[in-house]
Amino acid sequence: MKRWHIRDIILVTIIAFFMGVIFWAIGPVYTILQAALAPVGLSPLANELVIGIWVMAGPLAGFVIRIPGSATLGELLGAVVEMFLGGMWGASTLISGVLQGFGSELGFIFTGYKRYGWFTLALSALTTTVVTFTWDLFRNGYAAYHLPLLLLLVCVRFVSVFLFGGVLTKLINNLLVRAHVLKN
Amino acid sequence: MATVTVHALTYTYPKQARPVLDRLSGTFPAGKFSLLTGVSGGGKSTLLKLIAGLLPNDEPASITFDDQPLSAIAPGQRASTVAMLFQEPSTQFTMDTVENELRFALENQQVPATEIPRRSDAALAFVGITPLKHRKLMQLSGGEQQKVALAIIVAMDSDVILLDEPFASIDPPTRLVLLEKLVALCTKRGKTIILADHDLSGYQQWVDHLAVLADGQLHLLSTAETQTRFAAFTPQRLQLTHVQLPNDQLTVCLRGTQLGLTHGDRQLLTPQNLKFYAHRTTLITGPNGSGKSTLFKALVRLGRYQGHIAYRDTDIKKIHKRHYARQVGLMFQAASAQFLNVTVAEELALSQKYGNSTYFTSTRIQQLLQQLNLAGRDDRVLYSLSSGQQKKLQLLCMLIMAPAVLLLDEPLKGLDYASIQAVMHILTTVQRDLNLTLILISHQLSGLNDLVDLHLQLADHQLTYQGVRT
Amino acid sequence: MNPSLKLALLVLIALEVSFAQVWSVNVALIVVSLGLMLINHIPWRRLLWLTLVPLFFAGTLVWSLMLRGNASPHFLIVLFTRMFVYVYMGGWFTLTTKPLWLTRSLEQNAKLPSKFAYGFLAAFNLMPKIQAEVATVRAAALMRGEVLHVWSPRLYFKVILAAMNWSDQLAAAMTSHGFVEDAPRTHALTVPLVARDWWLFGISLLLVQVGLFVGLP
Ligand SMILES: Nc1ncnc2c1ncn2[C@@H]1O[C@H](COP(=O)(O)OP(=O)(O)OP(=O)(O)O)[C@@H](O)[C@H]1O
Ligand SMILES: Nc1ncnc2c1ncn2[C@@H]1O[C@H](COP(=O)(O)OP(=O)(O)OP(=O)(O)O)[C@@H](O)[C@H]1O
Ligand SMILES: [Mg+2]
Ligand SMILES: [Mg+2]
């Protein structure tokens, strides 16, 4: 199994930062969505819609670097940067960063860091959803929602994570393979 | 002191059929300044990276430092054997400030903590940049960053110093200063220096034999041949003889009103009125870090500015971004910033799809590729091209887009002499045929004389047109 | 306080607060963090930002829960104050901790391998370039007639290529500046880790535990 070298460490960090910057760029969209959905009491839905972009650093780093721990590290570093840039969740970003990263890491762990295709991505999206949603049950008090809404939230979250962390990641991966910078 | 010997070195990049270096042999004598040149894509960067131990080499014994291969030297001592100064100034530092970077390098060599400040200060003094000690590296100009990189090599006391086009984005006066420092390192401290460059100006008095890398082999030119090569870069050849001051008959295409530029709290351009003229070629020159690239970024709405900028009398902030981007295009300083696709063919196809396709027919593009020595590389991955090859392709892609105003930031950076000639020919023809407006930034003046009509100089935070009034 | 210990304290408290439901402890933590930020001369604009943003998000969250959930008023207050604990504690930490000092401390005190410490740092110092690059990629695409959105694979492709390029260059530059993975290095500056740091760490944690214990219903 591959070991961490200085180049990989720098790479995972830069990728994480890039994702942080892109997430920043859509920050206003998120806020507007949240404000628009708030009056009808559906503001968490805004969170579920864009969460895919936020957790994308994990699968992307996992795919590009392919060393055990890269997905977790990528997501955690993104959180560190976000905290230093004055992100809105402060100290808890560190914890959710680890959890989100670990969520997508599980997908890679289950396939033994050997398969890098659709199956792994779908699995990773599923584990990410499960892990992060469990965490939100506690942190954001999601447990207190009525059941139908809760189900809606889970589904939207899975779709978002799958679209960004799965489909989009696969498309990016295809481009990188063609550019000879990644093995298939 | 260390002599670098390369013996029958063959190197092939992974997944490539042909070797870049083919049983290459050569000697770089201790305490001497060796200058390396050769066509774009010839393998200069590859050779230097191999010597520095930055590319995996299957035959480590083929490169020796005083008969020792690098792998036989203890890891902690390698940096004091060989160090490299890179072409891209900004991505060669780990730390935030100059002082911290020096500390980092000396800590790596396990210099005792008490010894570090003295050695850092001495190195900064040697290069003459003591005032930069506490500055942030990211906020230095390219020329200053190269000086810092040199100071670090001095502090580490490396025997062999490799430089890969270190002056590619450096203004001529700074270049001379840096060159003098390098020569002093040879003569006063006995360092071995190997430098790769296309622009041969300023080396004449220090170098007797030019080493040329061609067809995977190294050839040492005779004194006479060397002098012939240098002759193309004498100061007389670098003058602009027919630039004129703008007159009233010219149409204004871009107009800055009280246009000012800042970075942080530093004023780069004090607010001034400025006009750029349509259907002409304007050259902008000025020292490193004076704000030329920043001006271009403001013109394409990629950066903030004070005052107003109008394109054909409409404020550019009022023009739709997508529309404006097709009118005023920028060829970025870094070639890779321009590309969007994977292969050469795809990139050209994209430009053809949205560009001026009646003029740039497929046959014409093939012709141009031929002229630029890029033909037959359609399926090559863009990012595996050498820096000069990328630059030429970048220019072609932007020309095919044929925006009404094309801004070119250092279009000649890292090009060999033949390529500069070809590029100049193409630029002149296309500009005339399509009546384009070209505005270019360049430190390198050789070959520009025929193209340039107007000359703006950025000095003391002001842009002023140069030349004689007609 | 020693940066590594400060980080550990921050994460531990944030973790506890996420599960505990004692709003008085939350309020106490908010007051202490606010005090610490004020002592350290936080710019007022930043403080305003750190207050308005969580106010908005905590407000919408609580409102949604009231409308669509069955949470008790007590729980809503806990959620509301929790958000401020996160943000204020994070604010205090970033205000008083320099990234370079933190990495040095992690290397020296927490025995993080130096390749991680300096790898992170090298990338961190590239931050201004990273921010500019995203804008550049999008502008370059516009000039070629293409629009890149957050869902365009090409945007990320370009960004990852830039990341790979820079990481290659940075790794080469670090090697060239004498950095060897897992090799011993000297330290020009040492980050102190003294008994006082441990006392501060211990007592702070203890106080939070006592508060949680007393406050639990
Ligand atoms: N990573 C790579 N993979 C495949 N081919 C490569 C790679 N890097 C360089 N090459 C090829 O190797 C050849 C030599 O490249 P190199 O960068 O050493 O040239 P150079 O002499 O430095 O050129 P320039 O003057 O343009 O910088 C070129 O044809 C280039 O396309
Ligand atoms: N993102 C940034 N943050 C802080 N300072 C910056 C940034 N970008 C550029 N600068 C500073 O602004 C100044 C002007 O930079 P600019 O790139 O415009 O110079 P230039 O005239 O194009 O120089 P060169 O000839 O080296 O390309 C420089 O001193 C540079 O260090
Ligand atoms: Mg080169
Ligand atoms: Mg510039």
Side-chain angles (χ1 to χ4, degrees):
Chain A
M1 210 154 286
K2 270 172 76 183
R3 279 185 63 235
W4 283 98
H5 286 296
I6 188 78
R7 179 190 172 273
D8 309 309
I9 297 167
I10 300 175
L11 181 58
V12 72
T13 319
I14 300 182
I15 291 181
F17 288 7
F18 262 126
M19 298 309 294
V21 170
I22 292 178
F23 193 69
W24 253 137
I26 62 155
V29 180
Y30 174 50
T31 316
I32 293 168
L33 248 155
Q34 183 119 15
L37 290 170
V40 285
L42 284 176
S43 69
L45 205 55
N47 192 39
E48 307 306 315
L49 282 169
V50 296
I51 197 169
I53 308 181
W54 192 217
V55 300
M56 219 175 120
L60 210 51
F63 245 80
V64 170
I65 300 172
R66 305 189 177 185
I67 302 176
S70 43
T72 314
L73 198 56
E75 205 45 69
L76 170 64
L77 288 169
V80 172
V81 178
E82 210 213 345
M83 191 173 84
F84 271 97
L85 291 181
M88 30 204 167
W89 306 108
S92 74
T93 37
L94 293 181
I95 302 168
S96 34
V98 172
L99 285 171
Q100 290 166 351
F102 183 67
S104 40
E105 187 85 43
L106 277 177
F108 296 99
I109 293 179
F110 289 149
T111 51
Y113 297 95
K114 291 206 178 66
R115 296 172 57 177
Y116 285 92
W118 279 112
F119 179 70
T120 307
L121 278 174
L123 191 65
S124 171
L126 190 69
T127 50
T128 308
T129 311
V130 171
V131 172
T132 58
F133 208 81
T134 313
W135 167 239
D136 272 332
L137 287 178
F138 290 100
R139 186 190 70 164
N140 283 335
Y142 274 23
Y145 280 120
H146 297 306
L147 195 60
L149 180 61
L150 214 51
L151 286 178
L152 176 71
L153 293 181
V154 176
C155 292
V156 173
R157 178 173 297 200
F158 177 73
V159 169
S160 169
V161 172
F162 181 70
L163 282 182
F164 284 100
V167 178
L168 190 54
T169 304
K170 182 73 179 125
L171 293 175
I172 299 165
N173 180 65
N174 291 351
L175 282 171
L176 291 168
V177 168
R178 281 214 298 128
H180 295 327
V181 294
L182 272 193
K183 287 195 295 286
N184 202 346
Chain B
M1 287 256 222
T3 299
V4 182
T5 317
V6 183
H7 182 69
L9 171 67
T10 302
Y11 185 81
T12 315
Y13 276 102
K15 294 208 192 100
Q16 300 294 318
R18 280 188 344 122
V20 178
L21 307 177
D22 190 8
R23 298 189 59 75
L24 177 143
S25 296
T27 307
F28 301 96
K32 282 273 166 10
F33 191 114
S34 304
L35 182 57
L36 184 66
T37 190
V39 293
S40 192
K44 300 178 294 300
S45 301
T46 310
L47 176 61
L48 290 186
K49 280 187 204 153
L50 282 164
I51 296 179
L54 297 174
L55 275 180
N57 183 0
D58 301 335
E59 334 155 33
S62 56
I63 301 171
T64 54
F65 299 83
D66 278 344
D67 304 324
Q68 267 199 316
L70 199 58
S71 52
I73 299 169
Q77 293 312 304
R78 283 180 201 160
S80 53
T81 307
V82 55
M84 184 147 164
L85 191 90
F86 297 86
Q87 175 175 352
E88 177 53 49
S90 66
T91 37
Q92 53 185 342
F93 304 113
T94 314
M95 295 293 183
D96 52 348
T97 66
V98 176
E99 187 183 25
N100 283 331
E101 185 69 32
L102 275 159
R103 258 187 210 138
F104 170 72
L106 293 175
E107 285 176 349
N108 290 335
Q109 286 190 314
Q110 297 187 56
V111 174
T114 45
E115 177 79 348
I116 288 177
R118 197 191 55 76
R119 270 177 68 175
S120 305
D121 290 345
L124 289 172
F126 181 85
V127 185
I129 50 168
T130 309
L132 298 186
K133 185 171 171 187
H134 300 288
R135 292 278 298 276
K136 281 224 180 353
L137 286 161
M138 272 291 164
Q139 289 171 7
L140 298 178
S141 77
E144 288 169 332
Q145 285 174 339
Q146 291 298 55
K147 284 186 194 166
V148 174
L150 197 58
I152 289 164
I153 293 179
V154 173
M156 293 193 309
D157 205 22
S158 313
D159 279 333
V160 178
I161 304 175
L162 309 173
L163 305 104
D164 189 7
E165 298 186 42
F167 309 132
S169 35
I170 302 300
D171 61 68
T174 311
R175 176 193 168 99
L176 285 183
V177 176
L178 275 168
L179 200 52
E180 263 169 39
K181 300 287 174 204
L182 284 173
V183 173
L185 277 176
C186 278
T187 52
K188 295 213 187 100
R189 307 226 172 157
K191 304 295 180 198
T192 310
I193 293 183
I194 311 175
L195 190 152
D197 206 341
H198 292 296
D199 181 352
L200 301 181
S201 51
Y203 294 112
Q204 195 152 20
Q205 44 182 323
W206 316 114
V207 177
D208 319 318
H209 297 281
L210 199 54
V212 178
L213 214 171
D215 307 320
Q217 304 267 330
L218 202 60
H219 309 275
L220 207 61
L221 298 188
S222 69
T223 321
E225 284 170 319
T226 304
Q227 291 308 320
T228 325
R229 291 263 184 145
F230 282 147
F233 293 89
T234 48
Q236 303 83 283
R237 297 270 189 115
L238 303 179
Q239 269 164 9
L240 300 169
T241 52
H242 50 246
V243 293
Q244 295 175 346
L245 283 177
N247 57 35
D248 301 340
Q249 276 116 51
L250 297 176
T251 7
V252 176
C253 67
L254 279 164
R255 183 195 302 270
T257 315
Q258 287 305 306
L259 176 63
L261 299 170
T262 52
H263 247 307
D265 46 10
R266 239 157 20 102
Q267 189 87 32
L268 297 172
L269 191 69
T270 44
Q272 70 169 118
N273 292 331
L274 182 67
K275 291 174 191 164
F276 288 103
Y277 298 94
H279 317 307
R280 290 289 179 280
T281 302
T282 308
L283 170 71
I284 303 179
T285 57
N288 282 123
S290 54
K292 302 179 298 297
S293 300
T294 310
L295 172 69
F296 272 13
K297 288 197 187 117
L299 291 177
V300 296
R301 295 174 61 181
L302 253 181
R304 263 181 281 182
Y305 56 85
Q306 306 157 338
H308 300 278
I309 300 175
Y311 172 67
R312 294 200 181 135
D313 298 324
T314 317
D315 193 312
I316 59 171
K317 284 188 177 144
K318 299 211 175 84
I319 308 176
H320 196 284
K321 262 200 162 155
R322 267 164 90 169
H323 181 68
Y324 185 64
R326 301 295 301 279
Q327 300 295 313
V328 179
L330 167 61
M331 171 175 170
F332 288 93
Q333 196 162 357
S336 57
Q338 208 92 48
F339 302 135
L340 287 175
N341 288 301
V342 178
T343 65
V344 174
E346 287 169 1
E347 200 63 34
L348 287 169
L350 176 70
S351 273
Q352 250 188 311
K353 180 170 157 200
Y354 293 110
N356 184 338
S357 53
T358 44
Y359 182 78
F360 288 99
T361 56
S362 296
T363 21
R364 193 186 291 267
I365 292 178
Q366 280 311 317
Q367 259 172 6
L368 293 174
L369 285 173
Q370 206 86 46
Q371 285 176 30
L372 291 171
N373 201 8
L374 283 175
R377 289 190 165 78
D378 283 4
D379 293 328
R380 275 293 290 273
V381 172
L382 291 162
Y383 307 92
S384 74
L385 296 175
S386 82
S387 61
Q389 292 165 334
Q390 287 189 12
K391 203 78 205 169
K392 288 187 278 187
L393 189 69
Q394 180 197 10
L395 178 82
L396 191 53
C397 288
M398 282 317 282
L399 271 183
I400 297 175
M401 292 308 296
V405 181
L406 180 55
L407 311 175
L408 306 141
D409 199 348
E410 311 265 1
L412 305 178
K413 178 174 142 189
L415 291 191
D416 56 36
Y417 190 68
S419 303
I420 291 181
Q421 303 295 320
V423 163
M424 278 306 138
H425 177 71
I426 293 171
L427 271 179
T428 318
T429 323
V430 173
Q431 197 267 333
R432 200 190 48 219
D433 290 354
L434 297 178
N435 217 359
L436 297 181
T437 308
L438 300 181
I439 306 175
L440 54 101
I441 296 175
S442 187
H443 288 304
Q444 130 114 42
L445 299 181
S446 74
L448 280 182
N449 195 22
D450 292 337
L451 181 69
V452 175
D453 309 304
L454 301 162
H455 178 195
L456 261 177
Q457 191 163 32
L458 178 50
D460 302 325
H461 313 289
Q462 283 287 301
L463 280 157
T464 30
Y465 278 103
Q466 311 288 305
V468 289
R469 195 172 292 278
T470 44
Chain C
M1 194 174 171
N2 179 284
S4 300
L5 274 188
K6 197 170 16 170
L7 181 66
L9 184 65
L10 179 82
V11 173
L12 283 177
I13 294 184
L15 205 57
E16 273 194 288
V17 165
S18 306
F19 292 99
Q21 301 188 2
V22 183
W23 66 266
S24 48
V25 171
N26 288 358
V27 172
L29 285 169
I30 293 172
V31 171
V32 171
S33 309
L34 185 65
L36 285 169
M37 284 198 282
L38 289 176
I39 290 175
N40 285 296
H41 304 293
I42 183 171
W44 65 269
R45 287 182 62 161
R46 189 163 159 71
L47 188 60
L48 201 65
W49 176 251
L50 284 182
T51 309
L52 290 182
V53 172
L55 199 62
F56 171 72
F57 286 102
T60 56
L61 179 66
V62 166
W63 174 246
S64 303
L65 275 169
M66 272 162 66
L67 226 57
R68 308 259 164 188
N70 48 7
S72 65
H74 169 259
F75 184 59
L76 292 179
I77 298 177
V78 168
L79 269 189
F80 191 80
T81 48
R82 187 184 282 173
M83 196 88 81
F84 279 90
V85 175
Y86 292 147
V87 176
Y88 276 18
M89 284 204 343
W92 158 69
F93 181 78
T94 46
L95 185 71
T96 55
T97 316
K98 290 225 172 65
L100 174 58
W101 207 236
L102 175 63
T103 21
R104 280 206 183 114
S105 166
L106 288 173
E107 182 198 10
Q108 294 172 22
N109 310 130
K111 303 294 171 232
L112 181 73
S114 59
K115 59 181 174 183
F116 283 98
Y118 290 99
F120 298 156
L121 210 54
F124 192 88
N125 289 324
L126 227 52
M127 204 60 211
K129 278 192 79 151
I130 293 176
Q131 276 170 327
E133 185 69 13
V134 176
T136 305
V137 169
R138 297 178 78 168
L142 273 189
M143 287 169 196
R144 305 287 297 287
E146 299 253 315
V147 189
L148 295 185
H149 301 282
V150 263
W151 57 84
S152 312
R154 276 202 207 150
L155 172 65
Y156 299 89
F157 168 66
K158 283 299 295 178
V159 155
I160 289 182
L161 278 179
M164 288 184 152
N165 211 346
W166 293 343
S167 59
D168 280 339
Q169 288 174 356
L170 276 178
M174 284 172 77
T175 311
S176 193
H177 284 180
F179 184 82
V180 183
E181 283 176 31
D182 307 323
R185 314 171 66 248
T186 49
H187 302 295
L189 300 172
T190 38
V191 185
L193 176 59
V194 292
R196 204 179 73 109
D197 293 318
W198 284 109
W199 277 110
L200 268 175
F201 178 75
I203 291 175
S204 315
L205 266 189
L206 193 71
L207 281 179
V208 175
Q209 307 315 314
V210 171
L212 288 178
F213 189 74
V214 173
L216 274 179

